[in-house]
Amino acid sequence: QVQLVESGGGLVQAGGSLRLSCAASGGTFRTYAMGWFRQAPGKEREFVAAISPSGINTAGASSVKGRFTISRDTAKSTLYLQMNRLKLEDTAVYYCAAAPIPRAATNLKEYHYWGQGTQVTVSS
């Protein structure tokens, strides 16, 4: 059983930056693909970014490419999401998730474990 705890959310002005972290425990971190998803009020949860177990391969939604970077630190069992040039439409609860598959998965149905989420609010 994998436990995931996100941190780093908060209130930021448009154009600013935040770095989200996701601490994993209870499993073998290096064997899981990891992903970030987000859910805005009244909307479905959507894919943001994913990284393979090795960290070599990544994938990102078109809406965040060039602005968000996903990375992982195996020694610390931690996943990161560096978010730059934030926009109002990035406001959402951000979730990290783990999938026991050997690639950067973009479909939320492939993820077995989820964190509780962290709120990111971008203001004008």
Side-chain angles (χ1 to χ4, degrees):
Q1 190 79 4
V2 177
Q3 292 83 45
L4 303 171
V5 179
E6 302 97 334
S7 61
L11 175 65
V12 62
Q13 285 192 324
S17 298
L18 279 176
R19 188 175 82 155
L20 304 182
S21 298
C22 173
S25 62
T28 307
F29 182 72
R30 56 180 167 78
T31 66
Y32 287 87
M34 300 295 296
W36 287 101
F37 294 79
R38 66 186 182 187
Q39 189 166 18
K43 295 187 176 181
E44 294 186 349
R45 193 169 299 189
E46 65 175 5
F47 168 73
V48 176
I51 189 166
S52 62
S54 66
I56 293 175
N57 300 113
T58 62
S62 57
S63 59
V64 306
K65 279 186 177 178
R67 299 189 299 122
F68 291 11
T69 302
I70 188 171
S71 62
R72 62 193 296 164
D73 186 331
T74 299
K76 296 182 178 180
S77 296
T78 302
L79 176 72
Y80 301 101
L81 185 68
Q82 178 66 45
M83 305 186 294
N84 298 328
R85 303 199 307 276
L86 283 158
K87 304 177 180 180
L88 297 178
E89 52 264 41
D90 294 320
T91 294
V93 177
Y94 283 71
Y95 299 89
C96 73
I101 55 178
R103 54 181 171 79
T106 61
N107 189 335
L108 63 84
K109 293 181 180 179
E110 296 183 278
Y111 286 84
H112 291 197
Y113 305 103
W114 293 83
Q116 83 289 347
T118 186
Q119 176 71 47
V120 171
T121 303
V122 184
S123 65
S124 59

